[in-house]
Amino acid sequence: MADAQGAGKTPVEEQISTGKRVRADAQRNLLAVLRAAKDVFAISGVDAPVRDIAERAGVGVGTLYRHYPHRADLIAAVFRQEMDACADEADALGASLPPFEALSTWMRRFVDLAVTKQGLAKALHSGDPAFEGLPARREERLMPAFRRLFERAAASGTIRDDIGSDEFVRAAASLCLSGADTEQAQRLVGLLVDGLRRPEDGREHDDGR
Amino acid sequence: MADAQGAGKTPVEEQISTGKRVRADAQRNLLAVLRAAKDVFAISGVDAPVRDIAERAGVGVGTLYRHYPHRADLIAAVFRQEMDACADEADALGASLPPFEALSTWMRRFVDLAVTKQGLAKALHSGDPAFEGLPARREERLMPAFRRLFERAAASGTIRDDIGSDEFVRAAASLCLSGADTEQAQRLVGLLVDGLRRPEDGREHDDGR
DNA sequence: TATCTTAGTGGAACGTGCTCCGCTTTATAT
DNA sequence: ATATAAAGCGGAGCACGTTCCACTAAGATA
């Protein structure tokens, strides 16, 4: 049995970190497959034919299987990749936009990710070992990136101070995972974000009913 | 989508009970498929090719799919069938053998069933709606049949009175489901059954260490 | 630069699930 | 008994997953 490399490292990282020689074309192909898979999954869902992915990546199916022996490996790799990208973007937004705008912009990005995850939810809960590392990755990479954005907004005084970052993001996630499509989820989470914004001074609204 | 008929009724029962006309050949084929599936599952596991089952039953794959649109339907039907047969046998044994012998003989039969179920365990816990009715069936048909045997043995005074029927059968089941093969499970449950037998009068063994 | 070694490639080929539809068999009406 | 309707049958055919291995070309060696 091929060892499922799980969600801890990409195959390339794996190979590099274990000191093995990695051919340049192999790296290229790996990346092409990953990108193709991301697209195809988005278009046709995670049950899309392997051949479609291989074709889009411009490689043979054999190559695809070489890198990702099981479909779950590929799904995990794509998802991990997207989580990382989303986390990176949090930092980028934090460095380029004012606190509240960075947060609200990033939340839209997060919704995209979370809605996608919906389709993966069944797979995620299948107990497949390939998915084992994903929750940890979320906690260790995605959530901290989010918290930095949130806390910066909090420190700037532009958001309410009676909502915790964790409960906020959990609420957003549950909106996304409740069966809504992207449009609807964006709208609902948008409400949440608006609600988070601290009212303008002197125009506080009456939340005491 | 064809309606999964679940584990509540066999398709034939379904058709008869809904007053629909059922052709004789359809009934024959249905039974043949069920028997073939039982055999093939036993030989090759529940992932055996559909074609193998159809061939053994002497029907085309189309016929098989007509009766059991999803593999889970077939598995559920086979398993339900076996549970019922096992329950029926409890009553038959109860009517033809002395209390303790009836119980101990039936326990061997039960082990066969339970060990088989091991292979199905993953499928059972997959959440497939086809399996929904099975646990209920076990409680409503198999367990009562067992309890009748057990209580008859208890009433006849041939077994200890400090063990409940439920804990006893649960213990037996857990021995079967712990990864043992049939041989081993039979031996272990045999121990359990021997332990259940009330010691001969005047030759009580010292269980107080 | 020319040669060698072998990691890596790609796609033919095979096994399987599942569908589709022309044909067969059964049951009913006459 | 015969004709008619349709339930049911079976297996060819297609899509897909997965394996296998002859071939290609990247990188090491001299």
Side-chain angles (χ1 to χ4, degrees):
Chain A
M1 185 194 312
D3 66 330
Q5 80 272 343
K9 293 182 176 213
T10 63
V12 169
E13 283 173 358
E14 183 78 24
Q15 287 165 319
I16 290 171
S17 70
T18 54
K20 285 181 99 172
R21 172 173 141 217
V22 192
R23 273 169 45 170
D25 58 340
Q27 290 189 40
R28 268 201 313 278
N29 279 328
L30 192 74
L31 210 74
V33 167
L34 209 53
R35 266 210 299 258
K38 194 186 100 182
D39 295 346
V40 172
F41 285 162
I43 296 167
S44 316
V46 289
D47 288 328
V50 172
R51 272 185 248 272
D52 288 2
I53 299 168
E55 190 184 3
R56 191 183 189 98
V59 305
V61 289
T63 301
L64 196 157
Y65 275 101
R66 156 170 289 266
H67 292 304
Y68 303 102
H70 311 291
R71 176 179 292 269
D73 299 328
L74 186 50
I75 296 174
V78 167
F79 195 63
R80 194 186 91 99
Q81 221 277 62
E82 298 211 297
M83 277 203 301
D84 287 359
C86 191
D88 290 345
E89 202 162 320
D91 296 336
L93 289 169
S96 64
L97 289 179
F100 183 83
E101 281 65 31
L103 178 60
S104 73
T105 303
W106 186 81
M107 286 307 294
R108 294 189 61 81
R109 182 75 167 73
F110 173 79
V111 169
D112 276 338
L113 182 65
V115 169
T116 298
K117 189 173 161 186
Q118 226 176 180
L120 268 54
K122 216 188 64 186
L124 258 333
H125 296 324
S126 69
D128 194 300
F131 299 126
E132 268 167 12
L134 289 177
R137 190 99 187 165
R138 182 191 57 207
E139 289 313 317
E140 288 159 23
R141 198 132 153 53
L142 194 60
M143 286 304 103
F146 156 73
R147 275 191 215 102
R148 281 193 291 277
L149 277 187
F150 190 94
E151 275 152 22
R152 180 158 156 269
S156 77
T158 48
I159 63 174
R160 303 167 50 151
D161 59 5
D162 58 346
I163 304 285
S165 62
D166 284 14
E167 60 181 333
F168 180 74
V169 76
R170 184 166 15 253
S174 79
L175 287 178
C176 295
L177 268 47
S178 65
D181 59 22
T182 306
E183 295 294 306
Q184 194 175 4
Q186 289 291 7
R187 243 177 301 126
L188 295 173
V189 173
L191 284 182
L192 221 54
V193 172
D194 285 348
L196 185 68
R197 173 168 238 154
R198 182 186 293 281
E200 303 297 330
D201 284 337
R203 182 65 182 78
E204 191 127 358
H205 48 44
D206 179 10
D207 65 357
R209 175 158 355 162
Chain B
M1 186 193 311
D3 65 330
Q5 80 273 344
K9 293 182 175 212
T10 63
V12 168
E13 285 173 358
E14 184 77 24
Q15 287 166 320
I16 290 173
S17 71
T18 54
K20 286 182 102 171
R21 171 169 143 219
V22 192
R23 273 170 45 167
D25 58 341
Q27 288 189 40
R28 269 200 312 278
N29 279 327
L30 192 75
L31 210 75
V33 168
L34 209 53
R35 266 210 298 258
K38 195 186 99 185
D39 294 346
V40 172
F41 285 163
I43 295 167
S44 316
V46 291
D47 288 328
V50 171
R51 274 186 247 272
D52 288 0
I53 299 169
E55 190 183 5
R56 190 183 188 97
V59 306
V61 289
T63 302
L64 196 157
Y65 276 101
R66 157 171 286 266
H67 291 305
Y68 302 102
H70 311 292
R71 175 180 293 268
D73 298 327
L74 186 50
I75 296 175
V78 167
F79 196 63
R80 194 186 91 100
Q81 221 267 40
E82 297 211 299
M83 277 204 300
D84 287 357
C86 191
D88 290 344
E89 202 164 320
D91 295 335
L93 289 170
S96 64
L97 289 179
F100 183 82
E101 281 68 30
L103 179 60
S104 74
T105 303
W106 186 80
M107 287 307 295
R108 294 189 61 82
R109 182 76 167 71
F110 174 78
V111 169
D112 277 339
L113 182 65
V115 169
T116 298
K117 188 172 161 185
Q118 227 176 180
L120 269 55
K122 215 188 66 187
L124 258 334
H125 297 324
S126 69
D128 194 300
F131 299 124
E132 269 168 9
L134 288 177
R137 190 98 187 164
R138 182 190 59 208
E139 289 313 317
E140 287 160 24
R141 198 134 154 48
L142 193 60
M143 286 304 104
F146 157 73
R147 275 189 215 104
R148 282 193 290 277
L149 278 186
F150 190 94
E151 275 153 22
R152 181 159 156 268
S156 76
T158 48
I159 64 174
R160 303 167 52 150
D161 60 5
D162 58 345
I163 304 286
S165 61
D166 284 14
E167 59 181 333
F168 180 73
V169 77
R170 186 168 12 254
S174 79
L175 287 178
C176 295
L177 269 45
S178 65
D181 60 21
T182 306
E183 297 291 308
Q184 195 176 3
Q186 289 291 7
R187 242 177 301 126
L188 296 173
V189 174
L191 284 181
L192 221 54
V193 173
D194 285 349
L196 185 67
R197 174 169 238 154
R198 182 186 292 282
E200 304 295 330
D201 283 338
R203 184 69 181 74
E204 192 127 358
H205 49 41
D206 179 10
D207 66 353
R209 173 166 354 170

